[in-house]
Amino acid sequence: IYIKNNEGYKPIDLIKKNQVNLDDESKNDLLNLLEYRKNKTFKMNTGLSLFGKHENLININSEEELRKIKGTNGILVFYMITCGWCKKMQNDIKMLCNRGIKVYVMESNYISQMLRQEYSIEGFPTIYILKNNKQIKYNESDRSYKRFEKILKK
């Protein structure tokens, strides 16, 4: 219910703008259901639940927050809570944070289709190295904290 399409609209916006072909009764039912889900959905900071809590772990929950990290140094991880590869990175993420490296994480529920295209997100985790005002996609299989630390300290 929070994911936006390429034009920046959530499902509820499309229904309210009459961009979905529904009869009045179905439209009202769907609007009521979406409002109910919106009010009952617990929006927790999922990065905390997967990677723990640390002053160097920054959870990104919107495109606006993602844009603000341009020009910073660290790593950016797009992840999914249920992804086994993401779970395997937990200790390495903690080690990076403990070593003073900023780790920016964005959970899949907050990633729009536009961001998926912009960052070439085809699976999880998708990792970017943030260094010297550049964002470079990390495609190596070695996802250890030692490897990331070595790249960032060069």
Side-chain angles (χ1 to χ4, degrees):
I1 61 174
Y2 295 104
I3 294 177
K4 297 178 182 179
N5 67 9
N6 289 339
E7 290 80 38
Y9 296 113
K10 296 180 274 185
I12 199 163
D13 301 326
L14 296 173
I15 294 167
K16 288 179 178 177
K17 292 172 117 287
N18 289 321
Q19 303 235 335
V20 180
N21 189 15
L22 295 171
D23 60 59
D24 286 341
E25 186 177 345
S26 296
K27 180 180 173 182
N28 286 335
D29 288 345
L30 196 50
L31 284 171
N32 288 335
L33 177 63
L34 287 171
E35 283 297 328
Y36 174 81
R37 289 282 299 151
K38 182 178 172 185
N39 294 331
K40 294 296 181 186
T41 301
F42 177 63
K43 252 184 124 174
M44 69 176 193
N45 199 336
T46 53
L48 293 176
S49 65
L50 186 60
F51 297 113
K53 184 176 181 178
H54 197 284
E55 65 187 37
N56 289 323
L57 180 70
I58 297 93
N59 295 283
I60 306 294
N61 296 325
S62 70
E63 291 178 34
E64 187 178 312
E65 290 178 24
L66 185 60
R67 305 279 179 238
K68 289 179 182 177
I69 70 166
K70 288 197 176 187
T72 62
N73 290 330
I75 68 167
L76 169 62
V77 180
F78 296 101
Y79 75 97
M80 180 182 287
I81 294 173
T82 58
C83 168
W85 295 108
C86 299
K87 289 177 183 177
K88 286 182 181 181
M89 287 188 67
Q90 287 175 315
N91 288 334
D92 290 296
I93 296 290
K94 289 174 187 174
M95 287 299 294
L96 286 169
C97 291
N98 288 337
R99 292 172 172 275
I101 295 173
K102 297 283 186 194
V103 180
Y104 303 90
V105 294
M106 187 171 201
E107 203 270 326
S108 62
N109 286 333
Y110 298 103
I111 304 170
S112 67
Q113 189 61 35
M114 185 180 74
L115 283 179
R116 286 179 189 271
Q117 291 171 351
E118 182 179 338
Y119 284 88
S120 302
I121 300 170
E122 296 168 357
F124 297 102
T126 297
I127 303 165
Y128 277 81
I129 303 296
L130 310 175
K131 186 176 177 184
N132 300 327
N133 286 324
K134 294 181 184 173
Q135 295 183 343
I136 302 161
K137 190 169 184 180
Y138 182 81
N139 291 314
E140 297 178 30
S141 59
D142 183 356
R143 297 177 181 152
S144 68
Y145 75 90
K146 290 179 182 180
R147 180 68 183 133
F148 291 123
E149 188 175 46
K150 185 176 180 180
I151 291 169
L152 289 165
K153 301 251 174 158
K154 281 185 191 175

